[in-house]
Amino acid sequence: MSRKSRRRNLHSDRLAKINRFYSPDEVQELYGICRNTLGNWVRTGLKHFEKDKRRLFRGDQLNHFHRDRRQRRKSPCGAYEIYCVSCGNKHSLLVGGVTAEHGRQRVRVEMACPEGSGRASKWIKSDAWADIQAEAMHNPDSE
């Protein structure tokens, strides 16, 4: 199976050679991605520099970017956090705009992504929801 035919969200953090410079076309070929994905990576923190009006990426920066992405994905949400699939970030449940659907023993908490148009949701225990509500009342940043 070719590299382009497989969908991979998290890439190896050792794929790029650390002492090499890569052009955008070489990065796309190396990771099997399209130009839009590379642009998204740059917007989310992939460092680059420009030389003679050309964008270049260092191998060690590519590896560092992917290592950080993997680490962010591995860290679990805290008690007052919710994970958004749309933007791939964690958001605080203490900030306002959170809705809740009560079940028998659990509560489905949902909120709009502050960074995009997606929605994040998760199931929590009823007593945890009560703790979140109490903390939100004492939080000066809550709306």
Side-chain angles (χ1 to χ4, degrees), residues 24-138:
D25 291 336
E26 291 170 328
V27 172
Q28 291 170 25
E29 172 102 15
L30 182 66
Y31 291 102
I33 59 169
C34 68
R35 186 174 29 165
N36 291 342
T37 301
L38 184 58
N40 291 339
W41 287 358
V42 168
R43 278 190 292 286
T44 58
L46 176 58
K47 294 183 178 161
H48 66 283
F49 69 96
E50 294 193 21
K51 183 175 181 178
D52 300 329
K53 297 184 181 181
R54 287 186 42 200
R55 186 181 282 183
L56 293 175
F57 300 90
R58 282 187 12 211
D60 62 336
Q61 290 294 330
L62 286 164
N63 291 339
H64 182 17
F65 173 74
H66 289 293
R67 188 170 29 259
D68 284 352
R69 280 183 77 213
R70 281 182 175 277
Q71 198 59 39
R72 276 196 316 263
R73 299 277 193 226
K74 285 183 180 180
S75 61
C77 289
Y80 304 130
E81 292 180 322
I82 190 169
Y83 178 76
C84 177
V85 178
S86 302
C87 68
N89 294 320
K90 297 173 198 165
H91 303 297
S92 174
L93 290 170
L94 302 176
V95 179
V98 178
T99 59
E101 281 181 38
H102 293 274
R104 282 185 277 168
Q105 296 175 344
R106 299 179 134 215
V107 178
R108 182 174 185 257
V109 180
E110 187 174 294
M111 73 179 289
C113 176
E115 297 178 15
S117 61
R119 296 197 65 76
S121 67
K122 76 175 186 177
W123 287 94
I124 59 175
K125 293 181 179 179
S126 296
D127 56 344
W129 174 239
D131 293 343
I132 290 170
Q133 286 180 308
E135 186 67 30
M137 290 180 137
H138 300 298

